[in-house]
Structures are given as structure tokens and as C-alpha cells.
Amino acid sequence: MKHYNLNGQSAIIVGGAGYIGSHVCKALAAQGVTPIVFDNFSAGHEHAVKWGDSVAVDMRDREAIFKACAAHKTVKTIILLASSIEVGEGEKNPAFFYENNVIGTLNLLNAMQAAGQDRLIFSSTCATYGELDTMPLTEDMVQNPVSVYGKTKLAIEHMIQSYYKSYGLNYVILRYFNAAGADPDGEIGEEHDPETHLIPNALKAAAGLGKGLKLFGTDYDTPDGTCVRDYIHVNDIAAAHLDAMSAFDKGLTSTQVNIGTGVGVSVLEIIQMIEKVTGLPVPYEAGPRRDGDLTRLYADPSKAKAVLGFVPEYSELEKIIKTAWTFHSKTWNIS
Ligand code: UDP
């Protein structure tokens, strides 16, 4: 990993007990930055908080988040990852998604303002673009999200931009593509319950656990009929936060960037790579499309490189699958 000049700083990671959050904390600590985790532990895990203190706090609780920010007012950088993320759940329960994501973030922004904390790194998503025919996606393209999940993330982007314009909040919005893979040391990885993501579900099927993979849709307008995504290693996503912190130090005040590789990979290509890496077949059953899924999404990563100096180091597909498999074989006790 490259070296950053951030030694001695601190950052609050809201959602730091989650999959991406824990990798961000590890990457920060490796560069001498002290991570302080704020998490409600609804989806995150206490055992994933290994690199700093944690505060149990829910952003929906206005009083509690104001108190937590005030108690850490010397820490100027907030990294916001906490979010409801499961696309299908958002379609079933939008009230919960808007409350958790949008109202929760509004409380956090106000708490930051009251505490004088003026640097925010926000994890947004490629799902804010919606169904576009032109690929790769650049940051200036129209954002017209289809899913409730994408709509809540776009609403938050707009709130942050307003707080920049009117109150001087400095921000970097990172529009992640598909986070994948795990810490190469095998210490932390993806542990959602229930797990809805492709790579862990396909690995589970290869391991003979569960009933096999359900493949959501083979009639998309793509070369093999399955959806195309841009899979980016979670360590590279973590590094993007270090790039953003460094950019703040150099005077950056506001930007939004895609965090992807620029390479589109289909569901069937993921299955083939899993079979190659594990040496095991992936039993799967092709079924109907999943609500809210988009045909194809991949990034133009050139703005992230130009503005933040972001260059993926871990995101070769084979490495993504290998690191995920190392972590899951350990947690699933597969020898
Ligand atoms: N997918 C699938 N079976 C699963 C999970 C996902 O076929 O059990 C497909 C899904 O329809 C999408 C792709 O894999 O086309 C990536 O889905 P994932 O949930 O991992 O990420 P998303 O793109 O929704 O953020």
C-alpha cells in the first residue's frame, strides 16, 4: 500500500464495524491515523472493531449523535459508511430506508456542524446513476436512481452539497461500485446476515453450503445475458478514504468521484473465476430478475485518479476472489 502523510490524525468512522468500515479502520491505523468507530451494531460486528475505540450510537437518535460528536469535537474528519444497503429490502420498506439513511445523515450533519467538524467523506454508490445506456459512467452524467437505496443515497448527496454551499462543509463523495474481496491477511471480511451479495453467495455454493446459488436473470441485454458490474477490492475502497483525507490536507473542499476499476464483469464470469480459484463447481439455478437490479454499471475511474490520485492496487478479479475465499474458508471452517 502507498504511504500517506497522515500520521497523528484521527477520524470518526460512522459504520466502522461493518464490512467496508472495518477495512477503512485497518487502513487508517496502518498509516498512523487513529480510528474512532461510531456504530449502532445493527449490521456491524463488535469483533470487527480492532483498531480503535468504539461508541455505540445510532444516527437516528438525534440527541445521542449530537452528544457523540460533541465529545469528539477535536476530530475534524468524519467518514460516513453507516447505511441500509440491501436493494430488495429498500423496495419492500422505503420508510425504514429513508429514516435510517436520510434522516440519520441529516442528524449527523447537524451534529457535525454543532461540534465544528467540517470534513466529511461519504460513501455513495453507482446506484445513484440509474439505468443509463452509455458506459463507462462519468461523474457528470445524469443521476436518476431506480432503487429506493439509490434514491436515499442521492438525497444525501444533495444534502451534503447544500451544506457545502451554505455552511462551508468540506466533502468528498465516493461513489463506490461493487465492493468485493477481503483483507489479504484474513483478519476481516464480508459478514452480512442475511448475505445478499453475489461473491459470498457463489462461494457458499462452491463450498456446498446452502442450496446453491440463485442467478437473478439471464435475459439482460449483455453478451452472456447476465448483469455486468465493476468489482472493486475493499482494500482499494479503503485506500480511497486515505486519498480523500490527503486531498483535504491539500485544500480540496468539494468533489464527487467514482470509485471503480473501469472493467465490467458479468455474473457468469464471476462464477467461472470462482470455479478456477476454488477448484470447485458453483451449482446454480437461473431464475427471474431481482427487483431494482440494473443491466450494467461500470466506472470511468479517471476523475478519481486525477483529483485524488486514486489507483486500484488489489482489484484484479482473481485477487478479489482469492482474498474473499481465504476469509470465508476460515469463517466457514473449510479446510
Ligand atoms: N446476484 C445473483 N445472485 C445472488 C446475488 C446477486 O445473481 O445471490 C447478481 C445480481 O442480480 C447482480 C449481481 O449479481 O446482477 C451483483 O449483485 P450484488 O448483490 O452482489 O451487488 P449489487 O450490484 O446489487 O450492488
Side-chain angles (χ1 to χ4, degrees):
M1 190 192 250
K2 77 181 186 208
H3 175 74
Y4 296 85
N5 216 0
L6 297 167
N7 196 23
Q9 293 197 30
S10 302
I12 292 168
I13 298 86
V14 187
Y19 168 45
I20 300 175
S22 55
H23 289 79
V24 170
C25 290
K26 183 168 182 176
L28 290 172
Q31 300 287 333
V33 180
T34 306
I36 300 144
V37 171
F38 286 8
D39 207 295
N40 69 2
F41 295 101
S42 64
H45 306 281
E46 306 237 10
H47 64 250
V49 181
K50 298 176 194 274
W51 294 278
D53 291 339
S54 69
V55 178
V57 60
D58 190 315
M59 294 194 298
R60 288 168 298 177
D61 184 340
R62 193 170 190 276
E63 206 178 309
I65 194 72
F66 267 67
K67 221 167 123 187
C69 284
H72 297 86
K73 65 179 179 206
T74 54
V75 182
K76 299 298 175 197
T77 304
I78 313 287
I79 295 173
L80 172 55
L81 297 118
S83 171
S84 295
I85 57 162
E86 208 258 285
V87 172
E89 192 196 346
E91 303 309 306
K92 284 188 208 123
N93 197 353
F96 175 70
F97 261 58
Y98 279 96
E99 189 180 353
N100 204 29
N101 295 356
V102 182
I103 305 291
T105 303
L106 183 62
N107 288 339
L108 177 71
L109 294 182
N110 289 331
M112 285 176 63
Q113 203 185 354
Q117 295 161 323
D118 61 356
R119 290 179 173 189
L120 177 69
I121 303 169
F122 173 60
S123 52
S124 189
T125 167
C126 57
T128 57
Y129 291 108
E131 189 79 83
L132 292 172
D133 290 334
T134 320
M135 292 289 142
L137 294 164
T138 55
E139 290 80 355
D140 54 1
M141 281 181 180
V142 64
Q143 287 172 288
N144 190 14
V146 173
S147 62
V148 168
Y149 166 64
K151 287 175 201 279
T152 62
K153 289 285 187 177
L154 183 58
I156 295 169
E157 286 199 15
H158 288 159
M159 286 193 321
I160 291 170
Q161 285 153 356
S162 301
Y163 274 56
Y164 162 69
K165 199 163 160 245
S166 300
Y167 308 132
L169 173 71
N170 303 297
Y171 74 85
V172 175
I173 289 172
L174 302 173
R175 292 185 190 141
Y176 306 160
F177 283 65
N178 285 53
D183 166 37
D185 304 331
E187 267 189 294
I188 41 176
E190 195 165 7
E191 294 179 274
H192 296 119
D193 184 20
E195 187 52 80
T196 61
H197 293 104
L198 175 63
I199 293 176
N201 280 349
L203 286 171
K204 204 173 268 174
L209 303 168
K211 294 185 189 146
L213 178 73
K214 290 240 171 331
L215 199 164
F216 300 135
T218 50
D219 59 348
Y220 285 96
D221 182 17
T222 59
D224 66 21
T226 65
C227 289
V228 168
R229 295 287 181 272
D230 183 339
Y231 294 88
I232 173 114
H233 196 286
V234 65
N235 270 25
D236 286 328
I237 294 186
H241 296 76
L242 293 160
D243 290 326
M245 283 184 75
S246 302
F248 280 142
D249 282 350
K250 289 179 196 135
L252 183 81
T253 58
S254 56
T255 196
Q256 31 281 315
V257 294
N258 290 334
I259 298 299
T261 65
V263 180
V265 177
S266 75
V267 175
L268 286 176
E269 285 169 331
I270 292 285
I271 291 173
Q272 280 158 15
M273 184 54 83
I274 288 181
E275 292 185 334
K276 181 180 161 197
V277 167
T278 63
L280 300 165
V282 175
Y284 69 84
E285 190 190 326
R289 294 180 177 199
R290 182 173 69 176
D291 256 7
D293 270 345
L294 300 165
T295 307
R296 89 175 64 67
L297 292 165
Y298 54 92
D300 178 339
S302 50
K303 184 177 173 194
K305 186 175 179 194
V307 176
L308 298 183
F310 171 75
V311 180
E313 283 179 31
Y314 294 86
S315 293
E316 190 202 326
L317 190 58
E318 188 159 351
K319 196 178 275 180
I320 287 179
I321 304 293
K322 270 189 183 155
T323 55
W325 180 233
T326 302
F327 175 75
H328 289 303
S329 353
K330 197 169 99 181
T331 50
W332 298 335
N333 285 320
I334 294 158
S335 47

